[in-house]
């Protein structure tokens, strides 16, 4: 058995720990988006594979027998490639699936189908917007330059942020409600922008928004191809056990 674990999430780190502890041969894969990724207890590779063809070549070269897709729910490109490549090579794939967050009583959410739809859902009059969406899609918000944007990022940006009125805080999850509430207060935030990632690590901002009565503009997650879904590492281990005869 040789497992490829596609990472970049809390679930991926938990699975890596369990696989390593069980002595299962596995390689961890990061896209390479952050300068200081969490160190994993598995051999680790960093960087894209080069699309489906590159991933197919990697799977064959490394004699990968099983793929665990523990990428973020918004990392749809990698999930689609993993699905296509596993089908082509004929090896089993399992995907971590987090339940999306649901609004609760007292929440004031506007849900939009895609991240690209968020700027239009922001007001036209100047607001103070908290952006917790990572750095890749910041330029979408050039459509609404009148707002002040507070970004929460993992690394100091390599280049100036492409918005005239902006600031950032550096932090890495998991986050907690008390700190997020204090952050929103101290920056006088009026609107919160989020991706519906689900899970516990990033939900504190939503609880903070409820307690401060702030509106949340929430992007729903992209659709992914059908896959065998799991939500815990224990389920992954059971799946590996059931598919152990697929080892090469
Ligand atoms: P994406 O749009 O699905 O992926 C774009 C390309 O990045 C993929 O086609 C692949 O390149 C490469 N890639 C992505 N994940 C990879 C991995 N684990 N190992 C090797 N290559 C990978 O993904 P994204 O939204 O840019 O996210 C990148 C990474 O950050 C993911 O691993 C994800 O788990 C993590 N992350 C994303 C978010 C988010 O909100 N999107 C949040 C937290 C963490 P090739 O086609 O060249 O193989």
């Amino acid at each position: 058995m040789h497992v490829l674990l596609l990472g970049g999430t809390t679930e991926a780190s938990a699975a890596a720990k369990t696989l390593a502890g069980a002595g299962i041969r596995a390689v961890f894969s990061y896209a390479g988006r952050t300068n200081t990724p969490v160190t994993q207890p598995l051999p680790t590779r960093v960087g894209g594979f080069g699309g489906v063809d590159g991933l197919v070549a990697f799977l064959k070269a490394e004699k990968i027998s099983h793929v665990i897709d523990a990428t973020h729910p918004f990392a749809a490109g990698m999930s689609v490639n993993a699905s296509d490549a596993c089908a082509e090579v004929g090896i089993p794939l399992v995907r971590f699936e987090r339940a999306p967050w649901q609004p609760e009583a007292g929440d004031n959410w506007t849900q939009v189908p895609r991240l690209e739809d968020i700027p239009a859902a922001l007001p036209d009059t100047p607001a103070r917007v908290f952006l917790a969406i990572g750095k890749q899609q910041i330029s979408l918000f050039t459509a609404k330059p009148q707002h002040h944007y507070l970004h929460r990022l993992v690394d100091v940006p390599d280049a100036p942020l492409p918005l005239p009125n902006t600031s950032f805080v550096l932090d890495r999850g998991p986050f907690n409600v008390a700190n997020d509430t204090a952050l929103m207060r101290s920056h006088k935030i009026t609107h919160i922008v989020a991706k519906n990632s689900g899970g516990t690590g990033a939900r504190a901002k939503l609880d903070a928004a409820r307690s401060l009565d702030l509106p949340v503009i929430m992007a729903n997650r992209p659709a992914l191809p059908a896959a065998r879904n799991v939500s815990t590492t224990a389920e992954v281990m059971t799946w590996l056990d059931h598919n152990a005869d697929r080892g090469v």
Side-chain angles (χ1 to χ4, degrees):
M1 182 181 289
H2 192 197
V3 176
L4 171 63
L5 174 54
L6 298 168
T9 59
T10 313
E11 291 88 342
S13 297
K17 197 170 165 195
T18 302
L19 291 173
I24 292 175
R25 191 165 163 247
V27 57
F28 192 101
S29 179
Y30 274 124
R33 297 283 188 270
T34 62
N35 298 337
T36 52
V38 175
T39 303
Q40 299 296 339
L42 291 173
T44 300
R45 63 166 303 286
V46 180
F49 297 95
V52 175
D53 291 348
L55 182 54
V56 165
F58 178 89
L59 296 174
K60 288 179 175 168
E62 297 296 321
K63 295 188 168 43
I64 298 294
S65 57
H66 302 74
V67 176
I68 302 169
D69 177 3
T71 58
H72 189 271
F74 278 76
M78 189 68 248
S79 291
V80 170
N81 289 355
S83 175
D84 289 352
C86 287
E88 189 172 330
V89 177
I91 57 172
L93 166 76
V94 73
R95 184 190 302 141
F96 269 95
E97 180 79 10
R98 304 172 186 167
W101 294 314
Q102 301 293 341
E104 298 175 12
D107 280 330
N108 174 4
W109 290 12
T110 300
Q111 299 192 63
V112 297
R114 303 168 313 146
L115 200 59
E116 290 78 358
D117 301 316
I118 287 188
L122 286 171
D124 291 327
T125 49
R128 295 184 61 84
V129 181
F130 178 63
L131 281 187
I133 57 161
K135 64 184 173 191
Q136 289 186 75
Q137 283 113 343
I138 287 176
S139 57
L140 287 175
F141 294 86
T142 53
K144 288 272 171 88
Q146 63 270 51
H147 303 314
H148 178 90
Y149 293 97
L150 172 67
H151 307 269
R152 180 155 62 194
L153 301 170
V154 174
D155 299 308
V156 177
D158 303 329
L161 298 174
L163 294 165
N165 193 1
T166 178
S167 55
F168 64 88
V169 287
L170 295 181
D171 208 351
R172 190 194 285 266
F175 303 103
N176 71 64
V177 183
N179 289 352
D180 275 8
T181 305
L183 183 72
M184 304 308 157
R185 277 208 177 104
S186 66
H187 288 268
K188 298 185 170 50
I189 294 300
T190 60
H191 294 74
I192 292 178
V193 162
K195 296 174 176 173
N196 197 336
S197 305
T200 54
R203 92 148 280 132
K205 59 182 175 280
L206 305 175
D207 297 328
R210 187 182 319 113
S211 71
L212 295 169
D213 204 17
L214 295 179
V216 174
I217 322 296
M218 178 75 78
N220 290 333
R221 48 179 72 177
L224 296 177
R228 169 89 163 84
N229 289 336
V230 293
S231 55
T232 65
T233 301
E235 288 175 77
V236 170
M237 298 307 279
T238 304
W239 173 80
L240 282 175
D241 203 32
H242 286 165
N243 289 281
D245 59 329
R246 305 296 296 270
V248 290

